[in-house]
């Protein structure tokens, strides 16, 4: 994905002010007292033509963000050789979720580095949680607050800052990376507050790859071990392949149990009896599976929580000394993305009390009444109770494969996978594990992660990361260790390098559950014809408004490969003699 940046001079101030106005109304009207009327009152002082010209005279640089020949947004910053002051970064709604904001941030940061800046700073409205989460993802933290008397609500603005990696030249002209304290850095992520956590990464999506990366984080496990994994609704197509987990447990954790809880919604896993039937349907029969809330709930304390002092979790979790959080990393309809935080935040809460505490406002008849930032925060506080209970005997393994924007709770009704498979990431730091996966998805070449990014940002999912940081669940700074290449330290961009856009089924995809007619779900695959896996062909009708195609798959030795794409009308004509 490529973007360019068009400089704006004083003569362009009026045009820029007109261009920026709708974005300011959309973003700030819901955040300030008085709504749009109040925005109209303070806008001239912030982005009026005279204000823009005055800022340019003070050394601020303004640029349009150009994507595919179109103005997608604008940015502004000032670099004085010491501090990079980020003044503006806005995108039009139709370009959000595309990864452009991260490209623009990198352009700003690189401009600051080139002028020797050792720190970056910005000011943000404290109610703009989406912006705060974005900045936190890029290493910014709140360092102070300044009073704001001209707007009304809020009463203050947050100042966020981060150190920067600058480039100093040696006597021979070679470049040496330095952080703001002068410590040499060997590439990788720019320094953030706190110690960097290791995230081990492999592109080997196989049982061998899973075992290899798990070996790097298993050192703190002891005693009785449970593996918290999403076992899926009946015939769900996207869960981590069972053969992988069977090998992992039998070879690396003999005697370990899988642990799950019942669902809050009525479905295949609502009761213990139906849940066990679903486990049999999905083939989770190779080791003991503990439905942790089968005998009710207990509480784990929540330290420093905003919403909870304790969280109700499945009683069975008290029987274990250590936990492996083995997560299918994917999108999520409410959480934006489902990583390790969601796996245990929702997945360890018991099905009757804990999940209700997370999802349903007291007295509400809508079981899903809690959404947005509050949902992210409640889910994260629940996850913190589990992390604190098992720490240090807990590790996190995220499998970035079959990443539908839907959760595995949606089973056969999940949206079709379009995001390419990436690899497996593992860490002893839950925040580092999830943040690295999010960063790699954002870094996929040629806009390959667009659907996932849109789902994350449209649901406010980045709040999971910033709130984990606020709760002290991780440092917010990580380094990716590439175990495929001699433990080289790499960036998220390098982890994503060479991954072609579009999803391609691997040999573990046999599409169980897609071999049946589905009703009432626009945009989901529906079988047109069904045959057993032993028969060589299966036609799947992809009923997507964007790509109305029929896909013919060939099954050989359990391997699904698309071999022919046919126009729907042509297929119907051929089948029915039209």
């Amino acid at each position: 994905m490529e973007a360019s940046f068009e400089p704006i001079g004083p003569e362009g101030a009026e045009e820029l002010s007109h261009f920026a106005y709708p974005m300011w109304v959309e973003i700030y009207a819901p955040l300030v007292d008085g709504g749009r009327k109040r925005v109209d009152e303070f806008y001239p002082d912030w982005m009026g033509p005279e204000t823009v010209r005055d800022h340019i005279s003070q050394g601020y640089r303004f640029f349009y963000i150009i994507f595919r020949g179109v103005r997608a947004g604008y940015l502004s910053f000032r670099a004085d050789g010491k501090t990079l002051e980020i003044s503006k970064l806005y995108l039009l709604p139709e370009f959000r979720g595309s990864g452009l904001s991260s490209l623009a941030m990198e352009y700003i940061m690189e401009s600051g580095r080139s002028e020797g800046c050792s720190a970056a700073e910005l000011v943000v409205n404290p109610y703009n949680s989406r912006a705060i989460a974005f900045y936190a993802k890029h290493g910014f933290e709140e360092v102070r607050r300044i009073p704001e008397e001209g707007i009304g609500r809020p009463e203050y603005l947050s100042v966020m800052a981060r150190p920067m990696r600058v480039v100093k030249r040696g006597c021979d002209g070679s470049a040496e990376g330095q952080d703001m304290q002068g410590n040499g850095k060997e590439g990788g992520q720019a320094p953030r507050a706190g110690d960097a956590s290791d995230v081990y990464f492999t592109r080997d999506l196989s049982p061998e790859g899973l075992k290899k990366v798990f070996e790097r984080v298993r050192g703190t496990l002891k005693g009785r071990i449970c593996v918290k994994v999403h076992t899926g609704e009946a015939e769900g197509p996207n869960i981590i392949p069972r053969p992988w987990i069977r090998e992992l447990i039998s070879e690396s954790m003999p005697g370990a149990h899988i642990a799950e809880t019942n669902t809050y919604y009525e479905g295949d896993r609502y009761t213990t009896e139906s849940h066990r039937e679903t486990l049999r349907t999905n083939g989770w029969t190779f080791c003991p599976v503990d439905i942790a809330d089968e005998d009710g709930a207990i509480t784990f304390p929540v330290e420093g929580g905003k919403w909870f002092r304790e969280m109700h979790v499945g009683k069975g979790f008290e029987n274990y000394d250590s936990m492996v959080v083995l997560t299918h990393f994917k999108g999520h309809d409410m959480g934006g993305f489902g990583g390790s935080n969601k796996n245990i935040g929702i997945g360890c809460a018991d099905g009757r009390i804990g999940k209700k505490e997370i999802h349903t406002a007291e007295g509400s008849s809508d079981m899903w009444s809690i959404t947005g930032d509050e949902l992210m925060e409640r889910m994260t506080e629940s996850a913190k109770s589990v992390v604190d209970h098992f720490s240090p005997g807990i590790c996190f393994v995220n499998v970035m494969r079959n990443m539908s924007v839907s959760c595995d709770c949606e089973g056969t009704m999940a949206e079709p996978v379009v995001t390419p498979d990436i690899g497996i990431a593992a860490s002893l730091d839950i925040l580092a594990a999830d943040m690295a996966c999010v960063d790699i998805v954002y870094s996929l070449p040629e806009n390959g992660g667009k659907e996932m990014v849109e789902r994350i940002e449209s649901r406010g999912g980045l709040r999971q990361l910033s709130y984990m940081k606020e709760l002290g669940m991780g440092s917010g700074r990580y380094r990716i260790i590439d175990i495929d290449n001699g433990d080289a330290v790499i960036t998220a961009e390098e982890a994503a390098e060479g991954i072609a856009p579009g999803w391609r089924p691997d040999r573990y995809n046999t599409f169980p559950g897609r071999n049946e007619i589905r009703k009432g779900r626009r945009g989901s695959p529906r079988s047109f014809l069904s045959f057993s896996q032993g028969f060589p062909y299966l036609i799947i009708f992809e009923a997507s408004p964007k790509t109305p195609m029929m896909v013919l798959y060939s099954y050989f030795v359990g391997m699904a490969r698309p071999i022919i794409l046919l126009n729907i009308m042509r297929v119907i004509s051929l089948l029915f003699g039209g």
Side-chain angles (χ1 to χ4, degrees):
M1 180 179 184
E2 295 184 0
S4 59
F5 302 91
E6 176 188 324
I8 305 169
E11 70 284 354
E14 188 165 347
E15 184 179 8
L16 173 61
S17 180
H18 180 74
F19 174 77
Y21 174 74
M23 289 180 275
W24 279 63
V25 171
E26 179 216 352
I27 293 169
Y28 293 110
L31 304 181
V32 300
D33 290 337
R36 178 168 182 163
K37 181 179 179 182
R38 188 71 189 97
V39 174
D40 287 343
E41 292 172 355
F42 67 68
Y43 185 75
D45 295 331
W46 289 76
M47 269 302 295
E50 288 304 317
T51 302
V52 172
R53 281 189 279 266
D54 183 54
H55 282 183
I56 292 173
S57 70
Q58 295 176 34
Y60 288 92
R61 286 176 258 174
F62 287 81
F63 297 84
Y64 286 115
I65 302 168
I66 307 298
F67 180 62
R68 294 179 179 173
V70 176
R71 290 175 178 174
Y74 77 103
L75 59 85
S76 173
F77 62 89
R78 179 171 65 175
D80 62 6
K82 181 179 179 182
T83 301
L84 171 64
E85 183 183 343
I86 301 174
S87 176
K88 309 286 189 298
L89 176 50
Y90 292 88
L91 285 178
L92 293 169
E94 58 266 33
F95 294 99
R96 294 170 198 162
S98 65
L100 273 178
S101 53
S102 292
L103 285 179
M105 177 60 76
E106 181 54 34
Y107 177 78
I108 295 171
M109 299 300 288
E110 186 58 36
S111 298
R113 291 187 195 105
S114 68
E115 298 195 20
C117 294
S118 59
E121 191 171 280
L122 57 87
V123 178
V124 63
N125 185 306
Y127 296 117
N128 193 348
S129 58
R130 183 171 178 174
I132 290 171
F134 171 77
Y135 295 135
K137 184 177 84 73
H138 286 274
F140 287 85
E141 296 179 315
E142 184 179 78
V143 293
R144 64 183 184 276
R145 295 177 177 180
I146 55 178
E148 174 49 63
E149 299 176 355
I151 296 178
R153 184 178 74 99
E155 296 78 21
Y156 68 90
L157 296 175
S158 294
V159 179
M160 302 182 75
R162 58 163 281 183
M164 291 177 63
R165 181 175 180 270
V166 301
V167 175
K168 293 184 178 181
R169 296 285 170 184
C171 296
D172 60 355
S174 62
E176 180 184 25
Q178 298 279 326
D179 65 20
M180 65 184 299
Q181 286 80 29
N183 302 313
K185 297 293 173 183
E186 192 72 23
Q189 300 296 312
R192 296 174 176 148
D195 296 331
S197 295
D198 290 338
V199 177
Y200 299 95
F201 175 72
T202 179
R203 301 161 189 80
D204 184 359
L205 285 162
S206 72
E208 292 71 28
L210 179 59
K211 288 181 291 184
K212 183 170 59 175
V213 78
F214 171 69
E215 286 300 317
R216 298 301 191 94
V217 294
R218 65 172 301 169
T220 62
L221 304 177
K222 62 182 180 179
R224 296 195 64 193
I225 300 172
C226 66
V227 180
K228 176 61 190 74
V229 63
H230 199 312
T231 55
E233 294 297 312
E235 297 189 337
N238 295 322
I239 56 178
I240 300 173
R242 291 168 294 283
W244 297 15
I245 300 176
R246 180 175 61 242
E247 283 194 33
L248 179 69
I249 290 177
S250 65
E251 297 182 20
S252 302
M253 294 180 285
H257 291 195
I258 289 173
E260 269 277 40
T261 56
N262 293 320
T263 58
Y264 181 36
Y265 57 86
E266 294 190 27
D268 295 336
R269 299 177 297 135
Y270 181 66
T271 67
T272 298
E273 181 180 8
S274 63
H275 198 158
R276 292 206 178 279
E277 179 60 33
T278 300
L279 289 167
R280 287 189 288 271
T281 298
N282 285 350
W284 300 102
T285 56
F286 51 82
C287 75
V289 180
D290 181 7
I291 299 178
D293 56 347
E294 180 175 10
D295 295 319
I298 58 171
T299 58
F300 286 169
V302 178
E303 298 293 335
K306 179 193 302 186
W307 304 100
F308 302 118
R309 294 292 174 264
E310 60 184 16
M311 172 51 56
H312 288 85
V313 300
K315 189 175 187 299
F317 288 115
E318 67 180 352
N319 299 325
Y320 298 96
D321 304 302
S322 300
M323 175 180 281
V324 176
V325 183
L326 179 54
T327 303
H328 171 218
F329 189 89
K330 68 283 181 184
H332 193 276
D333 191 53
M334 299 185 73
F337 71 93
S340 290
N341 187 55
K342 183 267 172 188
N343 186 3
I344 57 175
I346 302 296
C348 289
D350 79 288
R352 298 298 169 266
I353 305 173
K355 289 183 174 68
K356 182 177 181 179
E357 291 172 330
I358 296 169
H359 282 295
T360 309
E362 187 173 354
S364 175
S365 59
D366 177 4
M367 67 189 300
W368 311 115
S369 53
I370 296 174
T371 60
D373 284 1
E374 183 177 342
L375 174 64
M376 309 305 163
E377 292 167 1
R378 286 174 179 256
M379 174 170 60
T380 303
E381 290 184 15
S382 175
K384 186 179 192 301
S385 75
V386 177
V387 173
D388 289 349
H389 175 80
F390 285 104
S391 184
I394 187 168
C395 62
F396 310 92
V397 182
N398 289 346
V399 178
M400 292 175 281
R401 170 190 176 275
N402 280 32
M403 291 182 289
S404 169
V405 297
S406 303
C407 178
D408 292 332
C409 296
E410 297 189 47
T412 61
M413 301 299 289
E415 293 295 329
V417 180
V418 295
T419 304
D421 294 342
I422 295 174
I424 308 173
S427 182
L428 296 176
D429 180 334
I430 184 173
L431 172 56
D434 279 0
M435 180 179 286
C437 291
V438 169
D439 287 349
I440 295 171
V441 167
Y442 271 71
S443 301
L444 284 168
E446 300 181 57
N447 215 13
K450 184 180 187 303
E451 285 75 10
M452 279 284 290
V453 170
E454 191 281 331
R455 178 56 57 98
I456 291 169
E457 295 191 352
S458 65
R459 303 319 196 253
L462 294 176
R463 180 56 179 155
Q464 292 187 53
L465 303 178
S466 62
Y467 198 52
M468 278 194 275
K469 179 70 173 67
E470 291 174 26
L471 291 175
M473 294 171 67
S475 71
R477 180 175 173 238
Y478 66 84
R479 60 178 195 156
I480 300 176
I481 310 297
D482 185 351
I483 68 174
D484 299 334
N485 291 289
D487 286 358
V489 177
I490 63 173
T491 64
E493 291 77 11
E494 289 167 331
E497 188 175 338
I499 299 177
W503 178 70
R504 294 160 184 80
D506 61 26
R507 66 190 180 92
Y508 300 99
N509 277 287
T510 53
F511 294 92
R514 294 192 177 183
N515 308 346
E516 59 186 35
I517 298 294
R518 305 193 205 163
K519 300 177 181 178
R521 179 64 175 240
R522 192 181 179 197
S524 294
R526 292 169 171 81
S527 283
F528 187 78
L529 298 176
S530 297
F531 302 96
S532 69
Q533 184 174 326
F535 198 86
Y537 299 105
L538 166 67
I539 294 177
I540 297 177
F541 178 25
E542 299 284 357
S544 166
K546 293 183 179 178
T547 54
M549 306 291 287
M550 280 193 167
V551 184
L552 183 61
Y553 284 91
S554 174
Y555 281 82
F556 293 105
V557 199
M559 182 183 296
R561 291 190 180 278
I563 59 172
I564 301 177
L565 292 179
L566 299 172
N567 181 276
I568 285 178
M569 298 309 296
R570 178 61 178 155
V571 171
I572 292 175
S573 175
L574 290 172
L575 290 176
F576 299 103

